[in-house]
Amino acid sequence: MMNRSAFVSSILVFVLSFVLYVQGAAISVQGMDAGEFMTVAAKGGRLHPSGYPLAVYLMQFLNELPYENPAWKSSLFSAIFGALALAVQSIVINRLTKSTVLSISLPLILACSPLWLRYCTVAEVFASAAF
């Protein structure tokens, strides 16, 4: 069972990292397969194999939000799953170390690392795979 400090620290990590990723979410096509993900999420169709059906369905669901930019709405998918992955990491660190300080600081250090930040702000499946 999760103790209160683990729960609070994971929520704090999720909220802080999610706000960071939403602020930096891509508003246009970035590199890699982001353009393909954005197009399929906004217009429908199929991706290259393996197709990532769950990711596409969730991106299409997010594209129903009342905001005009489909690229930003598709990038929101990575922001949600990147923040969730950090929240899970916070819970695991708290269970292993029993330290609230470490369970907040270590995931936030990862949240700000350049590669993690890149993958959590573009429409890709890397953040969801980390979750």
Side-chain angles (χ1 to χ4, degrees), residues 36-79:
E36 188 178 4
F37 278 104
M38 290 173 184
T39 303
V40 169
K43 301 290 184 187
R46 281 183 263 161
L47 289 171
H48 64 281
S50 70
Y52 306 103
L54 182 61
V56 170
Y57 294 144
L58 291 173
M59 284 183 197
Q60 288 173 342
F61 176 75
L62 289 171
N63 267 284
E64 299 301 321
L65 291 173
Y67 183 72
E68 292 183 23
N69 190 336
W72 183 83
K73 293 186 284 190
S74 297
S75 298
L76 199 58
F77 167 80
S78 293

Side-chain angles (χ1 to χ4, degrees), residues 15-25 111-112 117 121:
V15 169
L16 290 175
S17 59
F18 182 70
V19 167
L20 174 69
Y21 299 149
V22 167
Q23 294 298 318
C112 296
L117 194 60
T121 56

Side-chain angles (χ1 to χ4, degrees), residues 39-125:
T39 303
V40 169
K43 301 290 184 187
R46 281 183 263 161
L47 289 171
H48 64 281
S50 70
Y52 306 103
L54 182 61
V56 170
Y57 294 144
L58 291 173
M59 284 183 197
Q60 288 173 342
F61 176 75
L62 289 171
N63 267 284
E64 299 301 321
L65 291 173
Y67 183 72
E68 292 183 23
N69 190 336
W72 183 83
K73 293 186 284 190
S74 297
S75 298
L76 199 58
F77 167 80
S78 293
I80 291 168
F81 278 97
L84 282 173
L86 292 172
V88 170
Q89 181 189 25
S90 175
I91 293 169
V92 170
I93 291 171
N94 191 292
R95 284 193 178 189
L96 292 175
T97 65
K98 307 289 189 239
S99 171
T100 304
V101 172
L102 286 178
S103 68
I104 293 172
S105 61
L106 293 178
L108 290 179
I109 290 171
L110 177 61
C112 296
S113 69
L115 189 60
W116 187 266
L117 194 60
R118 166 107 173 119
Y119 288 149
C120 291
T121 56
V122 297
E124 275 286 353
V125 292

Side-chain angles (χ1 to χ4, degrees), residues 1-12 90-91 94 100 103-104:
M1 187 156 177
M2 188 172 13
N3 61 18
R4 182 173 167 78
S5 68
F7 179 74
V8 170
S9 64
S10 67
I11 295 297
L12 180 66
S90 175
I91 293 169
N94 191 292
T100 304
S103 68
I104 293 172

